[in-house]
Amino acid sequence: NLPAKYGHFINGAFVEPAEGQYFENLSPIDGNPFIQAARGTKADVEAAVSAAKAAYKTTYKNMSVTERSNMLLKIADIVEANADRLAKIETVDNGKAVRESMAADVPLVIDHFRYFAGVIRA
């Protein structure tokens, strides 16, 4: 149950690509498109970089190490809560066995966020 298309995720929201272009993301499982993905341009990259710089200047640089760590832990928790769905999407996107996505890819994402949440506290 995915939307028909995804824009770029910039400044906390999905936005249309600057030039309005999308491309078909084909699944290697059957060669059929499973989603339309935003085609990025220089303008999209500049918008993302600008939003990231603003977020850093106004929010992130003022966060304590504990707050930053907790943010990473929250991301890990959200990924973990959606592990089954994310593994299925990863499988369709990459054509790999769902057991690999479930046993390796998604758990490693979770582990990495939790690892770095601990590292920044050290």
Side-chain angles (χ1 to χ4, degrees):
N1 296 341
L2 295 174
K5 64 181 181 177
Y6 272 103
H8 297 298
F9 195 74
I10 299 174
N11 201 25
F14 284 101
V15 297
E16 295 289 316
E19 294 184 10
Q21 295 180 337
Y22 288 82
F23 64 92
E24 290 184 339
N25 191 4
L26 305 177
S27 173
I29 293 172
D30 58 13
N32 291 320
F34 75 95
I35 199 157
Q36 296 283 311
R39 184 173 303 280
T41 62
K42 182 178 179 181
D44 296 304
V45 172
E46 288 172 351
V49 169
S50 178
K53 284 180 179 179
Y56 176 77
K57 288 178 185 174
T58 61
T59 305
Y60 197 72
K61 79 173 187 173
N62 299 316
M63 293 175 94
S64 70
V65 170
T66 300
E67 290 171 310
R68 291 178 187 193
S69 176
N70 288 340
M71 182 184 293
L72 295 177
L73 290 172
K74 184 175 181 179
I75 292 169
D77 291 344
I78 292 169
V79 172
E80 187 171 49
N82 292 281
D84 185 62
R85 182 170 190 258
L86 292 170
K88 289 174 183 173
I89 294 168
E90 180 72 3
T91 295
V92 173
D93 188 36
N94 289 294
K96 60 177 68 178
V98 71
R99 70 180 174 275
E100 184 178 340
S101 297
M102 286 293 294
D105 297 343
V106 175
L108 286 171
V109 168
I110 296 163
D111 288 348
H112 281 98
F113 276 105
R114 289 188 175 141
Y115 171 80
F116 285 105
V119 167
I120 64 175
R121 288 181 183 235

